[in-house]
Amino acid sequence: MPAHRLDRVTARRVAVRAQLLDARRPTDLLATVRQLTFLQLDPTAAVAPNADLVAWTRLGDGYRPEQLTRALETDRALFEYRAMVRPMTDLGLHRAEMAAWVAHARWRDWLAANDAFRRYVLDLLRDSGPLLSRDVPDRAAVPWPSTGWTNNRNVTQLLEFLAARGEVAVAGRVGRQRTWDLAERVYPPDTPALPAEQARRARDERRLRSLGVARAAVVGTAGEPAEIEGTSGAWRVDPTALDGAPFTGRTALLSPFDRLVHDRRRALELFDFEYRLEMYVPKAQRRWGYFALPVLHHDRLVGKVDATADRKGGVLRVDAIHEDVPFPAEVATAVRDELRALASWLDLPEVRLPGR
């Protein structure tokens, strides 16, 4: 099949529309997650938790975090798996992955040494679940070895492994803490598992639909081959995105974890956008800020906003607006409007701009 030849404007617009960031805002959370394939969970909440911020960027003020909680814990329309919120209808795409989960040799040895601990935890959840990890007694025969933050966190590590294998699942949350239960009580019964190779191809297709255009290394053979002006190497494009429909953009403040910018190489190649998450960079060495929000304007990424939600003070504090190129008046106004909309959604009565 001959490759589609795309200029970068077209490629950018395909990517923006695939991520539901054009002017046609979605109105339904579940449909949004299905298109995006997942919402990434991250504890950082300098502005808002990532899953909520990504959902708000698409759905606007009609979205409330309680909707995500209800979809996860009451309706079971979504499920949490390996720090991602995914549609429950996609569970079958991950069942084979769970069943075939093979730990690193060191992990296998630790699990084998703690098999009695594993059986105890499963029995405890069967009798008393769902439970917070702190409510599960640590009966590890061999402590979890680590030089990092997981050292000796035996209960948490075991639950993570059992979740990866599909034996337990996240049933809900108390604050930021996960509750755990047997997977059979969280996941729908008799969800068929697609054969591993078929599931992998389906996940690649879903991933490409959510990205619009991506490197073959990211989505395999999904979609159709493409060449993009000014770039080299193999690309794949979702052919259904090349429908010739007119593009109408909008302005959006993105999470640093947003999938439009998550692949930094792709963002640079398609959008000429350089970005680095700097929360782990010493303050004196930061260029853009601890949790700088990329700014999308129509089909261009045009800057970053260094903002923090000061909930005690009732202020969305904007320490800097970094313009990759000088903002025309239209863009400057649109960015300020988005900041006010963000503050309103966060129930913060004030936006404090730089110099105020």
Side-chain angles (χ1 to χ4, degrees), residues 285-329:
Q285 298 175 26
R286 293 175 190 155
R287 297 172 60 187
W288 303 304
Y290 176 84
F291 197 74
L293 308 177
V295 179
L296 174 71
H297 182 70
H298 293 209
D299 64 359
R300 300 301 302 267
L301 289 162
V302 297
K304 300 94 177 168
V305 171
D306 181 12
T308 305
D310 178 358
R311 292 169 178 82
K312 289 184 178 179
V315 172
L316 179 64
R317 190 179 69 250
V318 181
D319 292 323
I321 298 176
H322 302 281
E323 303 177 13
D324 286 9
V325 293
F327 287 179

Side-chain angles (χ1 to χ4, degrees), residues 277-290:
L277 180 59
E278 297 179 321
M279 65 171 65
Y280 301 115
V281 176
K283 185 173 183 179
Q285 298 175 26
R286 293 175 190 155
R287 297 172 60 187
W288 303 304
Y290 176 84

